[in-house]
Amino acid sequence: MPIARVHRIIAQGPDDAAGLESAIAAGTIDPAGILAIFGKTEGNGCVNDFTRGFATQSLTLALARHIGEERAKAVCYVMSGGTEGAMTPHWTVFERVEGEGEPGPALAIGRVHTAALPAEDLGRLGQVRQVAAGVRAAMAQAGLTDPADVHFVQIKCPLLTAQRIGEAEARGASVAVRDTLKSMGLSRGASSLGVAVALAEIAESDLTDAQIGRDLGLWSGRASASAGVELLNHEIVVLGMSKSWSGPLAIDHAVMGDAIDVEPVRAALARLGLGAPGQLGQAARDRLVALLAKAEASPDGQVRGARHTMLDDSDISSTRHARAFVAGALAGVVGRTDIYVSGGAEHQGPPGGGPVAVIARKG
């Protein structure tokens, strides 16, 4: 019977695979069972953040020494740049092993690599459809037949560069946007709507190209998308609860209505048995395995009626402000800083808010 294991490893830099190597040497992690690694790297999180690719390369090379290059490349590496504020750079390693564990339902994991996305499909329905198909395939791999059992879908999606735009235009195709930074938001948005379609949150027939990145009233409560220059396809990881999996881990999710709306997160922690809402003692903190969240600057320039300036800063991207702000709010709830907060939440939760997933050991 499949059992999910999740390991959190502090990283000293984007090339630091020492913690992973140590866990493998100690027998804590079986490299053959690694399905995905989520990482927070200390880059700027923008188009030219090469810490993501550096981390992917470093971790792939480390795993290749144990399981070979082909199997190492099959791992989904979801690197999110930007550890603003006091967010700790770290890796979250998702592993599948076989055995007899605590009876389910338990955390289930599925992962898929899609084909390369044509540049002309980025930010359009072509991307929505490709992601939706990938999510369904990852669900099937995890044995998750009911969309209601899916609690979080983490996607690494591509972006546009000047070279990719030029190649598309040279073959007579047009792209959704020529601004490479804006392409990150469109890619995240289309990917998230793909999740919404796969999980029956939104009907594909209700979507048009023109709504992507514009009609923010359309969103998924379980999608988390991070765009990067280091890939051309999508890497999709589906996390849910399944009776066909066993083991000690469980997952729940919440949706923050705005950047300081931590009460839904407290409620999710309570549903997992980590104390009553508003309380998280040391024993509960020890059972917390991972906290995954999305963050964005509210597009109306306000948080609960008070003006914010995240969108008016010409020096620092608003996604960097949002990551730091939301990470601080969530760190105050769970009492730790090694949490995964990704910036840019287009179609991921309501405008200014975002989905959150909590993985914990069962009580």
Side-chain angles (χ1 to χ4, degrees), residues 113-119 121 130 158 231-234:
H113 295 256
T114 72
L117 179 75
D121 283 350
Q130 187 182 69
L231 78 172
L232 294 169
N233 65 333
H234 300 87

Side-chain angles (χ1 to χ4, degrees), residues 229-285:
V229 71
E230 69 272 16
L231 78 172
L232 294 169
N233 65 333
H234 300 87
E235 300 193 3
I236 301 173
V237 181
V238 170
L239 304 173
M241 291 290 286
S242 172
K243 292 180 180 179
S244 64
W245 286 60
S246 64
L249 300 182
I251 184 171
D252 206 327
H253 75 278
V255 178
M256 297 175 68
D258 59 38
I260 53 176
D261 185 23
V262 298
E263 295 311 312
V265 181
R266 294 187 193 276
L269 290 164
R271 288 193 296 271
L272 290 171
L274 301 187
Q279 301 175 351
L280 197 65
Q282 185 59 51
R285 288 198 294 270

